[in-house]
């Protein structure tokens, strides 16, 4: 089957869509321009989808549209749109990381299904001559299906860990590195062999092994490293989409996939640097995992000081500067709006207030930034770790709300800790540390106790984060 000539209008539309996607990524690089970035992304995707529907409209012959198939396609799009709209309206911000992982799994599964359809009926896709799949198309199919399958199974495990269906602790298999390397080598070898033999057993063995390695790569990764996993799987989903774009001869998919794949890889690298992790070890799976750190249980027998909302209000009201460190607990309690109210009250008292955001706070990249933007916290009050960490030593109060691992000094001192080497906030250097958490019995997502709880300058505020901040706001009046 010969390829049809490229429609110049379609090529122009795909080019415009690609520019919109680039502008979307540019906009999403800053909270101040994120809404504009989202709009550009939606415009680009609308152009790409509409153009694809027009160019590839099902036809009975050169002049007659197959309306039955066209209606089926539109119904499928409508069902997908309805599910997406309903999910977006109902999803809680605390569940956003799980949603992102679920979406990644769907992208991977779509790549696998498209690859299977192309393999089973290559003539319909224009990738075969005389019953044989073209050589370049075999490369695209093999790699696309492999990456898609890894993305799917890996994202399912990430979803299960983020959603609490699986333990957030690393699940370490015996000889896991040998098993992983052997499986990856087998996949690459079969993809190479697929170039000379397009037998079904080769294609489907590649698919099955890729599903397996996706599972094996993610289960050894602990909860503290989940934000990097989400970013990494995002990159995988992009490369899977790009590979399928070549198979479908769709420029928009190639552009979009390449943008998502490359941006996800860059973000993963940046986050690995922020956590002092090796980028190669992320790809290998099980990075930073240890069998047992020995620090997973909170040491309740150690002395600690408990404070009240009135105590916290007095200390912050008398301070010159307060640095707030939000974490996943803030998201769970949905305390971002009342926290903004508290900062307004403090500013009325002449207190300088700043927010410190760790690169991996929450359960996905940018989780805390989104929550604070939702509460209309001024962008100028929000600082990244490297920009604010040196200020804790000159700060009167470090106010920690729902964070744990990102302020845990064991990352700097305990080589047996699963978070050892990860840059953390030096909150212990502040004159006073106010630490909100539900109880002393809990530990962070990494399962590590925190020495900050027991310091002389720390006051524990044990309560639901939203309720505690509401009480602080009342006490500030």
């Amino acid at each position: 089957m010969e390829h049809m000539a490229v429609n110049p209008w379609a090529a122009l539309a795909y080019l415009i869509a690609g520019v919109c996607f680039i502008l979307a990524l540019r906009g999403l690089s800053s909270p101040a321009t994120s809404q504009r970035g989202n709009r550009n992304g939606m415009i680009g995707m609308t152009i790409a989808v509409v153009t694809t529907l027009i160019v590839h409209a099902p036809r009975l012959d050169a002049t007659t549209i197959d309306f039955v198939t066209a209606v089926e396609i539109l119904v499928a799009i409508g069902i997908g749109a309805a599910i997406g709209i309903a999910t977006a309206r109902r999803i809680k911000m605390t569940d956003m990381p799980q949603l992102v992982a679920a979406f990644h799994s769907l992208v991977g599964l779509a790549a696998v299904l498209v690859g299977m359809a192309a393999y089973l009926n290559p003539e319909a896709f224009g990738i075969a001559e005389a019953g044989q799949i073209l050589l370049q198309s075999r490369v695209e199919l093999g790699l696309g299906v492999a990456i898609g399958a890894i993305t799917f199974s890996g994202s399912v495990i990430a979803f299960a860990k983020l959603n609490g269906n699986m333990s957030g602790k690393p699940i370490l298999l015996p000889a896991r590195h040998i098993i992983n390397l052997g499986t990856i080598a087998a996949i690459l070898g079969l993809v190479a062999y697929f170039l000379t033999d397009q037998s079904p057993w080769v294609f489907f063995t590649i698919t099955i092994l890729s599903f397996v390695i996706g599972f094996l790569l993610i289960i050894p990764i602990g909860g503290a490293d989940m934000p990097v996993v989400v970013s990494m799987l995002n990159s995988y989903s992009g490369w899977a989409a790009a590979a399928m774009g070549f198979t479908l001869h769709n420029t928009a998919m190639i552009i979009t996939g390449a943008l998502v794949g490359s941006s996800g890889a860059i973000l993963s690298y940046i986050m690995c640097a922020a956590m002092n992790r090796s980028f190669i070890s992320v790809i290998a799976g099980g990075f930073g995992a240890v069998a047992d750190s020995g620090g997973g249980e909170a040491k309740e027998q150690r002395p600690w000081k408990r404070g009240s909302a009135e105590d916290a209000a007095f200390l912050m009201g008398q301070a010159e500067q307060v640095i707030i460190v939000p974490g996943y607990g803030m998201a769970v309690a949905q305390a971002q709006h009342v926290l903004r109210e508290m900062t307004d009250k403090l500013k009325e008292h002449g207190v300088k207030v700043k927010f410190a955001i760790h690169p991996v706070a929450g359960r996905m990249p940018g989780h805390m930034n989104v929550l604070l933007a939702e509460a209309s916290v001024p962008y100028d009050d929000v600082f990244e770790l490297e920009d604010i960490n040196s200020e804790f030593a000159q700060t009167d109060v470090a106010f920690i709300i729902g964070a744990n691992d990102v302020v845990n000094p064991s990352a700097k001192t305990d080589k047996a800790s699963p978070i050892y080497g990860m840059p953390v906030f030096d909150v212990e250097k502040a004159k006073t540390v106010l630490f909100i958490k539900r109880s002393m019995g809990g530990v962070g997502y990494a399962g590590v106790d925190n020495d900050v709880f027991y310091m002389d300058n720390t006051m524990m505020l044990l309560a639901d984060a939203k309720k505690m901040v509401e009480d602080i706001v009342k006490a500030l009046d």
Side-chain angles (χ1 to χ4, degrees):
M1 178 177 175
E2 296 182 358
H3 299 323
M4 295 183 294
V6 177
N7 185 318
W9 293 107
L12 178 61
Y14 285 144
L15 178 61
I16 294 173
V19 172
C20 288
F21 295 143
I22 294 172
L23 292 175
L25 287 176
R26 178 67 183 88
L28 292 172
S29 64
S30 168
T33 58
S34 59
Q35 289 187 336
R36 184 166 68 246
N38 266 322
R39 283 196 295 269
N40 288 331
M42 290 187 286
I43 292 170
M45 187 55 67
T46 300
I47 294 172
V49 171
V50 171
T51 302
T52 300
L53 289 174
I54 293 174
V55 172
H56 298 284
R59 299 179 182 277
L60 297 172
D61 53 47
T63 58
T64 307
I65 293 178
D66 183 353
F67 286 101
V68 174
T69 304
V71 169
E72 291 176 345
I73 293 173
L74 293 176
V75 168
I77 292 175
I79 293 173
I83 294 173
I85 292 171
T87 302
R89 288 183 177 275
R90 296 176 60 184
I91 196 73
K92 298 177 182 178
M93 278 306 303
T94 50
D95 296 332
M96 193 61 67
Q98 294 95 301
L99 179 66
V100 172
F103 281 168
H104 291 164
S105 73
L106 294 178
V107 175
L109 184 60
V112 173
L113 294 177
V114 169
M116 286 185 175
Y119 173 76
L120 296 173
N121 191 7
E123 287 80 7
F125 286 78
I127 60 173
E129 290 181 356
Q132 294 293 311
I133 299 176
L134 299 173
L135 185 64
Q136 67 270 24
S137 296
R138 294 189 198 186
V139 176
E140 298 159 7
L141 280 177
L143 292 177
V145 169
I147 299 172
I150 292 171
T151 304
F152 172 75
S153 56
S155 297
V156 169
I157 299 301
F159 173 88
K161 289 200 171 198
L162 290 166
N163 203 45
N165 303 112
M166 287 181 64
S167 171
K169 295 182 179 180
I171 301 173
L172 306 180
L173 300 177
R176 65 187 185 279
H177 294 307
I178 296 175
I179 295 172
N180 290 351
L181 288 173
T183 306
I184 293 173
I187 292 170
L188 294 176
L190 286 169
V191 170
Y193 184 66
F194 187 55
L195 302 181
T196 59
D197 184 356
Q198 66 177 53
S199 300
W201 76 265
V202 180
F203 179 81
F204 288 105
T205 301
I206 292 172
T207 306
I208 293 171
L209 288 178
S210 298
F211 279 128
V212 171
I213 194 61
F215 172 81
L216 294 175
L217 286 175
I218 304 303
I219 59 169
I221 299 178
D225 298 322
M226 270 300 127
V228 184
V229 173
V230 172
S231 175
M232 180 179 66
L233 291 170
N234 177 58
S235 178
Y236 289 175
S237 69
W239 298 124
M244 288 302 103
F246 284 104
T247 298
L248 296 174
H249 313 298
N250 189 299
T251 307
M253 279 188 70
I254 297 171
I255 295 173
T256 306
L259 288 173
V260 172
S262 56
S263 61
I266 293 170
L267 178 59
S268 297
Y269 178 81
I270 292 173
M271 295 181 72
C272 285
M275 297 173 68
N276 196 30
R277 304 297 196 199
S278 164
F279 184 65
I280 300 300
S281 64
V282 176
I283 299 173
F287 62 102
V290 292
D292 186 4
S293 67
E297 297 182 1
K299 303 169 185 176
E300 295 185 69
Q301 72 276 13
R302 297 170 63 182
W304 53 277
K305 294 186 295 186
R306 181 168 187 168
S308 65
E310 290 73 19
D311 295 329
F314 175 78
L315 288 168
M316 288 192 289
Q318 300 299 313
E320 291 186 8
Q321 176 167 288
V322 173
I323 298 180
I324 300 173
V325 183
Y328 186 65
M330 184 193 75
V332 172
Q334 298 183 7
Q336 61 269 27
H337 295 284
V338 68
L339 187 66
R340 163 66 196 275
E341 187 179 349
M342 186 190 81
T343 62
D344 290 341
K345 291 283 186 182
L346 289 173
K347 289 179 180 179
E348 290 175 6
H349 285 72
V351 181
K352 188 174 184 180
V353 182
K354 294 183 178 182
F355 287 82
I357 306 297
H358 195 279
V360 294
R363 296 292 186 270
M364 71 176 186
H367 200 181
M368 294 301 105
N369 300 79
V370 172
L371 288 172
L372 295 180
E374 181 188 25
S376 300
V377 171
Y379 304 128
D380 292 340
D381 292 349
V382 180
F383 297 86
E384 300 294 334
L385 182 145
E386 63 272 13
D387 298 324
I388 200 171
N389 211 18
S390 61
E391 293 191 28
F392 281 101
Q394 292 81 41
T395 295
D396 297 296
V397 178
F399 186 83
I400 304 165
I401 174 169
N404 190 346
D405 297 329
V406 299
V407 298
N408 195 331
S410 69
K412 297 177 286 188
T413 60
D414 185 2
K415 293 185 178 181
S417 172
I419 62 173
Y420 179 73
M422 181 176 81
V424 294
F425 289 117
D426 298 328
V427 296
E428 70 276 9
K429 295 181 179 180
K431 292 179 183 177
T432 302
V433 178
L434 299 177
F435 210 124
I436 296 182
K437 66 194 305 285
R438 285 185 176 273
S439 70
M440 290 300 294
V443 292
Y445 198 46
V448 184
D449 194 26
N450 194 335
D451 287 337
V452 173
F453 301 160
Y454 316 104
M455 295 191 315
D456 292 337
N457 61 330
T458 297
M459 183 178 292
M460 301 301 299
L461 306 174
L462 303 184
D464 173 80
K466 185 176 182 181
K467 178 66 167 59
M468 176 57 71
V469 178
E470 286 174 346
D471 291 342
I472 293 174
V473 170
K474 292 177 184 177
L476 285 169
D477 289 331

